[in-house]
């Protein structure tokens, strides 16, 4: 026969076990979320680096194909090529740490990018990467650039 004290002790142990299980699950979910966030940031940085390398090399068609859907809606390739040709040609770049913004349109990472030109001068511009379902895409056009 189980006593009342034994049942109470068992209930307390079961309740504590449940609390520990919930806290452990929350911790695991938090770690998974942080890992996904780091992975998204790495992928966005890599996409932006690939885009900038294509622009630096003058491969504007490949750069255009990396643009986010928000830019592509009413932005033909010829306009993008003309936009890129109006920019000063750079010889190197450095990508800074992004800031994140989320909204109804999705999640975007805004990166500060330092561009170094042939004459040794440098500028910092802002470029945005959209985290889209088909991978990160660069949002680069006159209306998206900041800091230039």
């Amino acid at each position: 026969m189980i006593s009342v004290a034994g049942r109470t002790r068992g209930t307390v142990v079961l309740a504590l076990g449940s609390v520990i299980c919930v806290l452990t699950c929350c911790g695991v979910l938090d770690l998974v979320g942080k890992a996904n966030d780091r992975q998204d940031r790495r992928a966005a940085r890599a996409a932006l680096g690939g885009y900038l390398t294509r622009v630096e090399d003058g491969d504007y068609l490949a750069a255009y194909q990396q643009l986010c859907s928000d830019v592509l809606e009413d932005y033909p390739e010829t306009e993008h090529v003309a936009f890129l040709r109006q920019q000063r040609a750079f010889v190197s770049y450095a990508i800074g740490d992004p800031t994140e913004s989320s909204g109804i349109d999705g999640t975007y990472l805004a990166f500060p990018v330092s561009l170094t030109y042939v004459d040794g001068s440098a500028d910092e511009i802002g470029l945005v990467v959209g985290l889209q379902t088909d991978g990160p895409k660069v949002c680069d056009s006159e209306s998206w650039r900041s800091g230039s």
Side-chain angles (χ1 to χ4, degrees):
M1 193 180 264
I2 298 177
S3 69
V4 172
R7 273 191 263 150
T8 303
R9 198 172 325 139
T11 303
V12 169
V13 169
L14 183 61
L16 281 174
S18 296
V19 168
I20 290 170
C21 181
V22 167
L23 291 175
T24 301
C25 289
C26 288
V28 168
L29 290 175
D30 186 49
L31 288 174
V32 168
K34 287 179 182 176
N36 286 341
D37 185 50
R38 284 190 303 272
Q39 182 178 351
D40 285 345
R41 286 172 182 260
R42 278 193 302 271
R45 183 180 297 277
L48 181 55
Y51 175 81
L52 289 167
T53 297
R54 287 175 175 90
V55 171
E56 181 181 12
D57 294 343
D59 190 356
Y60 301 139
L61 173 60
Y64 179 79
Q65 292 170 345
Q66 283 189 259
L67 293 180
C68 68
S69 58
D70 292 352
V71 170
L72 290 175
E73 289 174 9
D74 295 316
Y75 193 56
E77 180 188 340
T78 54
E79 276 186 50
H80 189 60
V81 169
F83 167 72
L84 291 176
R85 287 190 173 143
Q86 291 172 1
Q87 308 304 308
R88 288 178 62 192
F90 57 92
V91 294
S92 68
Y93 60 86
I95 302 171
D97 293 327
T99 55
E100 183 176 321
S101 64
S102 294
I104 197 161
D105 295 347
T107 301
Y108 297 91
L109 296 174
F111 289 89
V113 177
S114 296
L115 301 175
T116 304
Y117 304 102
V118 176
D119 64 4
S121 64
D123 261 334
E124 187 169 287
I125 64 169
L127 288 172
V128 175
V129 177
L131 301 179
Q132 299 182 328
T133 55
D134 59 342
K137 301 290 185 178
V138 179
C139 301
D140 188 18
S141 67
E142 186 172 355
S143 63
W144 277 83
R145 280 216 184 173
S146 63
S148 54

